[in-house]
Amino acid sequence: MSSSRFLSFLRPDIRAMEPYTPIVPFEVLSKRLGRRPEDIIKLDANENPYGPSPLVRERLAAFPYYHIYPDPQQEALRAALVDYVGVPMDNILPGHGADELIDLLCRMLLEPGDVVINAPPTFGMYEFDAAVNMGRVVHVWRGGDFQVDVAGIARAVEEENARGQGRVKLLFLTSPNNPDGSLLRDEDLDALLALPVIVVVDEAYVEFSGRASLAPRVLEADNLIVLRTFSKWAGIAGLRLGYGIFPAWIMPHLWRFKQPYNVNVAATVAGLAALEDRAYYARTTAAIIAERDRLYEALGRFPFLRPYPSHANFVLCRVEGVDAWQLKLWLEGEGILVRYFRKPGLENCIRVSAGKPEHTDALLAALEKFAAREGVSP
Ligand SMILES: Cc1ncc(COP(=O)(O)O)c(C=O)c1O
């Protein structure tokens, strides 16, 4: 039933929201493309093609207590994360993916009209969660090289606070940034931390960056929060496990505010095993980094693609002289999924996740076929 006398009960801002573009489930896509799921090369969502390690699979299969509720405090997982992250467990809060923590922060901090600064092109959930939590999103666009506009952000914080219609509370930054893979510069972070705003740095892809995480800096700065996830490096995006590193002052409030059972038992079991199996993950992470670098180099040889250097597990390409949507559809017909963008700052772009070597081989072969058809061969 699409209409009801209770429709007016909905919050007006929720009623006015644009409909969500659903992600087509893998099995449905497989039917639509007429290919078995194992024959589809999925390079559209920055997932880890190696999946969970054998130890993670083993522990999940053997775990006997799925009928018992999870530990609301996530003591074991937080203790195991201390060594991995390099901060005390008192500063760590696990979540149902990093996504849950983005929502949690917005819900906890924003009063209607409070401002969230977003730095697009970037991950879409900051804008989404700010809006559903009645925040006002102010965009400060990144430059052509996807670097953050520090002066623009400083100006926006000052101007928005001066307007007096809600306080500027949160600034979301991503490093490496999705969708291009660029890193936040140290000097930019220093400058932004000097502003009267809570800076949330989302490090979902940090394991592929070859750089140290900013997590330990949370202990020195009371306005820095770092978000991380098991979705990418540990290959368990489907289980939903992320965590945040938070300054001490906010932790008691997070504990009071979060859903008690926000992290499920399977995610905890998998996360603990992944942290134990770091030698395995060092190998798969290195393989993904190698494939990303190969992808960047190989894509650049096609005259209609201009890839951006990336520190994450994907490569963004501007498509030149050819319609990126047509290219995406062509690749889909070949059983290869890539992400297409048609947003400001990302006109005519595709983003390709780094897969296994054979995935890159298949992608390059399909691109060569496409190039020959279009008469634009390297
Ligand atoms: C920048 C960024 N942050 C967070 C996420 C989501 O992380 P999680 O799976 O832990 O919710 C993604 C997923 O694509 C992402 O790109």
Side-chain angles (χ1 to χ4, degrees):
M1 189 166 53
S2 59
S3 185
S4 158
R5 66 207 155 111
F6 295 110
L7 257 183
S8 65
F9 281 26
L10 277 171
R11 260 169 42 191
D13 59 313
I14 301 290
R15 232 174 125 171
M17 268 175 81
E18 292 286 322
Y20 179 71
T21 316
I23 291 172
V24 184
F26 204 36
E27 319 79 71
V28 177
L29 199 71
S30 141
K31 276 209 190 93
R32 201 169 78 197
L33 296 178
R35 286 174 191 267
R36 294 179 307 168
E38 56 272 33
D39 294 335
I40 296 175
I41 299 177
K42 195 170 180 314
L43 306 178
D44 61 342
N46 304 336
E47 290 138 341
N48 186 325
Y50 296 96
S53 79
L55 181 72
V56 172
R57 292 173 198 271
E58 223 172 85
R59 292 277 169 82
L60 281 168
F63 188 72
Y65 302 120
Y66 288 118
H67 58 297
I68 308 285
Y69 283 106
D71 171 12
Q73 308 289 324
Q74 289 294 321
E75 296 273 340
L77 184 62
R78 286 164 56 228
L81 277 167
V82 168
D83 169 54
Y84 185 66
V85 183
V87 302
M89 64 189 276
D90 288 350
N91 296 84
I92 302 174
L93 185 96
H96 184 75
D99 278 353
E100 188 208 1
L101 300 171
I102 299 167
D103 177 59
L104 197 65
L105 282 170
C106 290
R107 260 194 299 145
M108 196 166 85
L109 295 168
L110 300 180
E111 292 179 56
D114 278 345
V115 173
V116 171
I117 309 261
N118 190 36
T122 193
F123 185 50
M125 292 309 286
Y126 318 128
E127 181 180 358
F128 172 83
D129 285 317
V132 295
N133 288 295
M134 299 183 122
R136 199 154 52 79
V137 181
V138 172
H139 297 301
V140 180
W141 290 81
R142 287 164 184 260
D145 56 356
F146 293 99
Q147 283 304 320
V148 170
D149 176 2
V150 175
I153 292 173
R155 219 168 25 245
V157 171
E158 196 181 321
E159 283 171 9
E160 292 299 331
N161 277 336
R163 272 175 14 136
Q165 297 169 351
R167 286 163 73 188
V168 179
K169 290 197 173 156
L170 285 162
L171 160 64
F172 283 101
L173 299 170
T174 322
S175 183
N177 189 39
N178 178 4
D180 64 290
S182 63
L183 292 168
L184 176 65
R185 294 192 196 111
D186 288 342
E187 61 271 29
D188 288 353
L189 178 64
D190 291 342
L192 294 166
L193 284 173
L195 300 173
V197 65
I198 296 173
V199 181
V200 183
V201 180
D202 181 342
E203 289 191 328
Y205 302 99
V206 72
E207 280 84 357
F208 306 106
S209 72
R211 304 289 167 95
S213 165
L214 295 168
R217 288 200 59 179
V218 172
L219 306 178
E220 307 149 17
D222 66 352
N223 61 336
L224 176 62
I225 291 170
V226 172
L227 301 182
R228 297 186 53 182
T229 181
F230 284 74
S231 291
K232 314 297 179 179
W233 71 274
I236 54 170
L239 284 176
R240 316 301 299 124
L241 182 60
Y243 55 100
I245 298 99
F246 297 90
W249 67 267
I250 204 171
M251 288 299 296
H253 307 287
L254 286 163
W255 284 122
R256 273 192 286 121
F257 191 72
K258 80 171 187 75
Q259 293 278 339
Y261 303 131
N262 58 330
V263 175
N264 72 76
V265 169
T268 312
V269 169
L272 284 168
L275 290 170
E276 232 183 89
D277 211 4
R278 277 189 249 167
Y280 170 89
Y281 281 111
R283 289 195 298 278
T284 50
T285 302
I288 290 168
I289 291 171
E291 219 45 38
R292 171 200 70 204
D293 292 344
R294 177 179 164 221
L295 201 56
Y296 171 73
E297 200 270 323
L299 293 175
R301 280 193 257 121
F302 290 91
F304 54 96
L305 294 179
R306 194 157 63 79
Y308 287 89
S310 167
H311 292 86
N313 64 341
F314 49 79
V315 176
L316 178 73
C317 287
R318 229 167 256 287
V319 182
E320 293 172 339
V322 164
D323 183 32
W325 177 245
Q326 292 306 322
L327 175 58
K328 179 216 153 60
L329 290 181
W330 161 272
L331 291 172
E332 203 170 284
E334 298 287 307
I336 301 168
L337 310 183
V338 299
R339 178 74 192 265
Y340 164 73
F341 292 106
R342 185 185 40 193
K343 292 186 193 167
L346 294 173
E347 294 86 1
N348 218 41
C349 285
I350 57 166
R351 190 197 60 203
V352 185
S353 308
K356 294 181 178 176
E358 58 267 34
H359 299 154
T360 311
D361 294 343
L363 173 71
L364 297 178
L367 283 171
E368 264 157 36
K369 224 160 119 185
F370 177 83
R373 196 192 69 155
E374 297 281 314
V376 285
S377 292

